[in-house]
Amino acid sequence: MSKLYVIATPIGNLEDISQRALRILKEVDLILCEDTRVTKKLLTRYEISKPTTSYHQHSKLNKNRYILKKLQENKDIALVSDAGTPTISDPGAKLIDYLVKEMAILEIISIPGPSAITAALSISGFSADKFVFFGFPPIKKKRKKFFQEVIDSKYTVVFYESPHRILKTLNELTGIDKQIVVCRELTKKFEITYRGKIKDTIKQLTPLLNGKVKGEFVVVINHD
Ligand code: SAM
């Protein structure tokens, strides 16, 4: 029976990959990558030489059919994203849904590992017994609703934000009197965590960003 492995990859530090993930990447017939150039860096680091092809948010039905055909030919396939766990604010769910519907027999196997959500939550100090993950704040439409849901949440909140919008987003949350943790560049060379009330983290971040918008961010907000 052919297998589709959904493999988590590092969110920055290339050492953060499991032995099992590396073994499977070496064993499969094909690796589906969000961006083949990004995954090539990981593969090169671990001297893995396997055929790759792209599978991303704009991939069409034809690509799904191609992948289906490969699986029907008994090929084993790995799905990875640029960083972290595939399908978490990343492509993959539609493909999996398609394959489940099209193939009577297919093993879909998770090779778990890093995700920016769990990495940020794990160092937040906030309860992660129950939490809500909101993805990225919408840019225009539904933005107000998004922030209202964040404000009203009874649980710890986690969301992603881009470097271009992190300050704008935090400024829209200054009405909340809750503890917040902003993780920047988790696992990377310039990793830094900002903690405090929202106003404090804005103060810490403003001079550092100083026009130069860089880095990747996860925001975690305590529930009370
Ligand atoms: N699937 C990924 C995962 O499991 O973490 C998330 C993909 S999402 C498209 C990318 C976003 O995740 C970034 O814009 C950022 O908000 C967050 N992120 C990814 N890597 C990060 C890191 N090293 N440090 C902080 N945030 C990160």
Side-chain angles (χ1 to χ4, degrees):
M1 192 194 312
S2 54
K3 295 184 183 72
L4 174 72
Y5 295 96
V6 181
I7 305 185
T9 57
I11 56 168
N13 189 322
L14 292 188
E15 288 178 17
D16 294 332
I17 184 149
S18 74
Q19 294 293 321
R20 187 170 170 231
L22 291 174
R23 176 175 60 76
I24 302 288
L25 286 169
K26 281 177 193 155
E27 286 175 3
V28 290
D29 300 293
L30 176 67
I31 303 172
L32 306 178
C33 314
E34 187 180 358
D35 181 337
T36 52
R37 289 163 304 180
V38 173
T39 303
K40 280 267 160 68
K41 286 181 196 153
L42 178 72
L43 299 179
T44 305
R45 162 76 180 260
Y46 290 102
E47 295 175 356
I48 298 171
S49 163
K50 279 284 156 179
T52 58
T53 185
S54 67
Y55 181 83
H56 47 70
Q57 56 172 337
H58 303 296
S59 290
K60 302 262 165 36
L61 189 58
N62 272 353
K63 195 75 188 209
N64 286 5
R65 289 198 184 114
Y66 167 81
I67 295 162
L68 175 67
K69 192 164 166 277
K70 291 272 170 207
L71 289 164
Q72 285 168 336
E73 287 166 3
N74 254 330
K75 304 282 184 209
D76 288 340
I77 296 182
L79 169 71
V80 298
S81 60
D82 285 353
T85 301
T87 84
I88 310 290
S89 294
D90 266 343
K94 279 186 189 154
L95 172 68
I96 293 170
D97 183 52
Y98 170 83
L99 294 173
V100 167
K101 286 174 181 152
E102 290 295 323
M103 282 188 84
I105 310 169
L106 169 67
E107 269 195 82
I108 302 174
I109 297 164
S110 158
I111 310 293
S115 176
I117 303 175
T118 45
L121 260 177
S122 72
I123 57 167
S124 69
F126 305 153
S127 169
D129 292 346
K130 286 185 180 180
F131 69 90
V132 249
F133 171 60
F134 281 106
F136 285 93
I139 295 170
K140 285 185 187 145
K141 257 175 131 189
K142 300 196 180 150
R143 195 167 163 86
K144 219 172 150 193
K145 183 167 173 270
F146 176 95
F147 288 120
Q148 199 53 52
E149 280 176 356
V150 168
I151 290 164
D152 293 341
S153 176
K154 284 188 274 176
Y155 309 119
T156 300
V157 164
V158 188
F159 63 85
Y160 292 155
E161 189 48 292
S162 80
H164 313 287
R165 280 185 289 271
I166 185 72
L167 275 174
K168 183 177 186 314
T169 289
L170 293 178
N171 274 306
E172 284 178 61
L173 286 168
T174 45
I176 324 180
D177 191 34
K178 291 182 179 180
Q179 291 292 322
I180 175 175
V181 166
V182 179
C183 299
R184 182 181 188 183
E185 297 286 82
L186 284 156
T187 79
K188 300 187 197 177
K189 191 173 174 193
F190 297 108
E191 171 170 359
I192 180 160
T193 302
Y194 309 94
R195 293 172 191 267
K197 290 285 167 84
I198 296 197
K199 280 184 183 148
D200 304 325
T201 56
I202 292 172
K203 262 191 219 151
Q204 295 168 56
L205 265 163
T206 306
L208 292 169
L209 286 177
N210 199 16
K212 256 192 183 175
V213 265
K214 274 193 175 167
E216 294 194 281
F217 293 87
V218 185
V219 177
V220 189
I221 302 177
N222 205 0
H223 62 286
D224 59 13

